């Protein structure tokens, strides 16, 4: 009987510790995309993005690279990879806006495709430590 009480107490403590714990790390709060079209406005030439990130952790993080993760279909249509080297620091419980632009093959992506299909899956953030964090969008 005593052993059962101890087991119940341990299970209770584990469950309450797990449920009250806040999510830590970097999360995305909002995503904004913009498109720059060709002169005839039929195709998209550039995709811009702005992502608001928030550090829910207790330590500041130093970001050295930001790489947008595109869907497989969209990644095949990138003409020129962007220079994604940055020098950003996001403090504990602070927010940061990350912006970038991707150049697409100007005859590959129509406006209709951009509206109907998902473009971004997330962001890969490379930290100064070498660790890569995937942030879903």
């Amino acid at each position: 009987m005593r052993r059962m009480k101890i087991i119940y107490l341990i299970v209770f403590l584990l469950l309450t510790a797990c449920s009250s714990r806040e999510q830590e790390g970097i999360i995305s709060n909002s995503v904004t995309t913009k498109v720059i079209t060709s002169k005839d406005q039929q195709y998209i030439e550039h995709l811009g993005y702005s992502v608001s990130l928030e550090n829910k952790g207790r330590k500041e993080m130093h970001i050295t690279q930001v790489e947008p993760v595109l869907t497989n279909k969209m990644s095949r249509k990138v003409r020129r990879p962007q220079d994604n080297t940055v020098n950003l620091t996001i403090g504990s419980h602070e927010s940061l806006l990350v912006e970038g632009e991707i150049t697409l093959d100007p005859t590959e992506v129509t406006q209709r495709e951009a509206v109907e299909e998902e473009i971004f899956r997330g962001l890969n953030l490379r930290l100064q430590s070498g660790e890569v964090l995937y942030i879903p969008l």
Side-chain angles (χ1 to χ4, degrees):
M1 184 69 157
R2 180 182 161 112
R3 182 179 273 174
M4 288 302 284
K5 286 182 182 180
I6 292 173
I7 291 173
Y8 284 129
L9 179 63
I10 291 172
V11 169
F12 175 75
L13 290 174
L14 287 173
L15 290 175
T16 55
C18 292
S19 64
S20 65
R21 189 173 182 189
E22 269 188 38
Q23 179 182 3
E24 289 198 6
I26 297 179
I27 61 167
S28 65
N29 286 332
S30 67
V31 179
T32 305
T33 56
K34 66 178 180 178
V35 295
I36 300 170
T37 60
S38 57
K39 288 183 182 179
D40 62 4
Q41 296 191 355
Q42 186 175 2
Y43 294 100
I44 296 173
E45 294 180 349
H46 301 280
L47 265 173
Y49 62 90
S50 297
V51 180
S52 174
L53 300 174
E54 183 180 353
N55 183 358
K56 294 280 213 174
R58 295 182 182 148
K59 297 179 184 177
E60 72 177 16
M61 296 189 178
H62 303 284
I63 302 169
T64 59
Q65 276 187 326
V66 176
E67 178 186 2
V69 178
L70 304 175
T71 60
N72 288 337
K73 188 172 183 178
M74 283 295 169
S75 64
R76 290 190 300 265
K77 298 177 181 190
V78 173
R79 176 188 241 182
R80 184 178 70 227
Q82 76 175 67
D83 178 20
N84 53 8
T85 303
V86 295
N87 185 16
L88 302 172
T89 300
I90 182 168
S92 174
H93 301 286
E94 290 184 0
S95 294
L96 177 72
L97 187 66
V98 174
E99 297 178 307
E101 189 174 283
I102 301 166
T103 303
L104 300 171
D105 187 338
T107 61
E108 289 288 324
V109 183
T110 64
Q111 285 193 36
R112 181 177 172 176
E113 276 182 297
V115 170
E116 291 177 354
E117 295 186 25
E118 185 179 11
I119 297 172
F120 293 100
R121 288 189 0 214
L123 287 178
N124 280 333
L125 305 177
R126 181 173 298 279
L127 304 180
Q128 191 174 31
S129 65
E131 180 182 5
V132 176
L133 300 177
Y134 173 72
I135 310 297
L137 300 179

